[in-house]
Amino acid sequence: MRNYLSVSSAVFALFFALAMSSIPQTGHAQDGKPGWSIAIHGGAGTLDPDKMTAEQKAAYEAALQNALDAGKEILANGGSAMDAVKAAIIPLEDDPLFNAGRGAVFTWEGRNELDASIMDGRDRSAGAVTGVTTVKNPILLADKVRIESPHVFLMGEGAEQFASENGLETANPEWFATERRLRSLERMKADKLSALDVDHKFGTVGAVALDMDGNLAAGTSTGGMTGKRWGRIGDAPVIGAGTYADNRSCAVSATGWGEYFIRVGVAQEICTRLRYRFRMDVAAIQSVVPKDADGLPTYIIHASEFPLSAQSAQEEADQVMAEVKELGGDGGIIMVTPEGHALYSFNTTGMYRGRATSDGLNEVAIFAEE
Ligand code: ASP
């Protein structure tokens, strides 16, 4: 019994040290000061370093850093995760490099039809729009739906009528249309290719954030997939598939082959797993706390002193992405947790991505091996 106790004390000490050691790698509370974290993406897909010139790479990196900076500035000044998510997504929607807002892919009929969604982890309020053609920044419309309407999800003309009643900035179809995306559609039709053949990468944009008040938020915006028809809607505007935020677990934004992300319910599945993982990890560490003479634990682990480790969060996200792959889909996600971990998981050769935290992490990357 004595031995058992000393072994379990050692295990307990190790567990506890491991749990605590995860704090400095994140944007969460250090020395009593609250922290913040943010992660962004600009799409995942088949990205080959040999097929990208140094100038193209620099242009993508600059665009990602610019979006990251916009979100960081808000969070570092005590602003909300919701504002940071919108601030990071807007420049990506306005940038023709990405498949969202300006630069969106074309439908089969040659239009740019935009989807977006946003979710506030405080109360799980959410807004989403699909098939929008005139609103300059669909992420702002999604947020208006969240705040000003009794609904979560609006489509097409109705969404546009709601946008005009709420004074959203509009743009002509020419604003969204780019030569590059039009050529993809033409190539798809001429060579009878699939959307995946012409897109190679998905190009959707998204952001997730934790603010200094401990609130999480997530948002995603896209043009969908080249040549989409019959009113096809992907995962990006579907709450629970492409976007999810819940202060109890995580905030996720996804990019990839939308049909699979809807089927797996990727964003919510990751958050739900984290909620249970946290409980399981707390129970596991409690179980190795030494017992007193009466067999009662000498110490009760309080959830607040046990942050979920980055490794646990990463494992859960990777498992969900593995399910997507098993079904035949691909893509990736970005995620932040209440502990401040800012993580990615993707099963493609690259994902345009970036992350930053209050303890100095700042990174933008494109290829898997970066
Ligand atoms: N997920 C998006 C969709 O299926 C595409 C993307 O991520 O670029 O519509």
Side-chain angles (χ1 to χ4, degrees):
M1 191 61 181
R2 248 205 130 95
N3 268 347
Y4 168 75
L5 272 182
S6 58
V7 169
S8 56
S9 306
V11 174
F12 169 65
L14 183 69
F15 243 121
F16 203 69
L18 278 177
M20 289 309 175
S21 72
S22 66
I23 296 176
Q25 298 152 21
T26 72
H28 200 42
Q30 285 177 53
D31 307 328
K33 276 192 257 142
W36 53 263
S37 294
I38 181 166
I40 61 165
H41 71 77
T46 310
L47 297 168
D48 182 350
D50 298 332
K51 292 213 178 105
M52 191 178 277
T53 65
E55 291 77 41
Q56 284 170 330
K57 185 164 186 276
Y60 275 107
E61 286 170 348
L64 291 168
Q65 187 63 59
N66 179 40
L68 198 57
D69 287 345
K72 275 168 71 172
E73 195 183 329
I74 289 185
L75 295 170
N77 287 314
S80 72
M82 284 296 288
D83 284 345
V85 160
K86 285 180 278 179
I89 289 178
I90 289 168
L92 296 172
E93 287 185 331
D94 290 344
D95 191 326
L97 287 176
F98 300 97
N99 171 21
R102 189 172 182 213
V105 298
F106 283 82
T107 64
W108 188 258
E109 289 76 24
R111 289 152 52 91
N112 303 113
E113 294 183 359
L114 312 167
D115 301 337
S117 64
I118 194 162
M119 187 159 184
D120 187 336
R122 272 179 298 201
D123 56 0
R124 281 170 281 161
S125 59
V129 291
T130 185
V132 168
T133 57
T134 60
V135 176
K136 182 169 168 279
N137 292 108
I139 195 69
L140 296 180
L141 178 55
D143 200 35
K144 271 279 187 252
V145 171
R146 181 184 73 87
I147 300 167
E148 302 293 345
S149 87
H151 308 299
V152 168
F153 204 174
L154 301 183
M155 65 172 261
E157 274 175 29
E160 265 152 16
Q161 188 186 331
F162 175 81
S164 103
E165 285 169 17
N166 282 276
L168 269 282
E169 189 180 349
T170 56
N172 296 325
E174 300 78 55
W175 165 259
F176 303 105
T178 55
E179 266 305 306
R180 178 168 79 120
R181 300 295 191 187
L182 190 56
R183 277 202 303 274
S184 294
L185 178 68
E186 288 165 354
R187 205 153 56 82
M188 178 185 195
K189 288 184 170 179
D191 299 345
K192 299 200 170 20
L193 300 171
S194 75
L196 292 188
D197 292 327
V198 288
D199 284 345
H200 298 299
K201 57 180 164 26
F202 297 103
T204 287
V205 308
V208 290
L210 164 75
D211 64 30
M212 288 201 262
D213 293 324
N215 294 315
L216 297 173
T220 312
S221 182
T222 191
M225 289 174 90
T226 300
K228 64 184 182 181
R229 60 207 297 203
W230 310 305
R232 181 265 185 191
I233 303 168
D235 60 315
V238 177
I239 295 297
T243 301
Y244 202 73
D246 179 347
N247 274 6
R248 297 172 300 174
S249 52
C250 68
V252 173
S253 169
T255 174
W257 197 345
E259 280 68 13
Y260 293 89
F261 282 70
I262 293 174
R263 286 166 60 191
V264 173
V266 166
Q268 187 173 9
E269 173 75 4
I270 293 174
C271 290
T272 304
R273 278 170 174 253
L274 284 195
R275 242 166 69 220
Y276 288 100
R277 174 66 180 248
F278 178 65
R279 285 193 206 160
M280 278 157 50
D281 284 1
V282 171
I285 186 171
Q286 182 69 61
S287 73
V288 294
V289 170
K291 308 276 193 300
D292 64 16
D294 298 324
L296 298 170
T298 52
Y299 189 82
I300 301 293
I301 306 288
H302 192 270
S304 64
E305 55 190 359
F306 180 79
L308 189 75
S309 72
Q311 192 191 335
S312 292
Q314 184 75 53
E315 278 168 15
E316 297 300 334
D318 289 349
Q319 278 173 27
V320 176
M321 286 309 299
E323 280 185 30
V324 168
K325 193 167 183 188
E326 261 168 47
L327 295 178
D330 59 357
I333 63 98
I334 52 170
M335 155 171 97
V336 293
T337 70
E339 295 79 16
H341 307 304
L343 304 168
Y344 324 113
S345 178
F346 54 99
N347 56 27
T348 48
T349 55
M351 177 161 84
Y352 297 109
R353 60 198 188 276
R355 58 182 170 181
T357 66
S358 49
D359 45 327
L361 172 69
N362 180 86
E363 152 188 299
V364 294
I366 299 176
F367 304 108
E369 56 279 4
E370 280 181 272

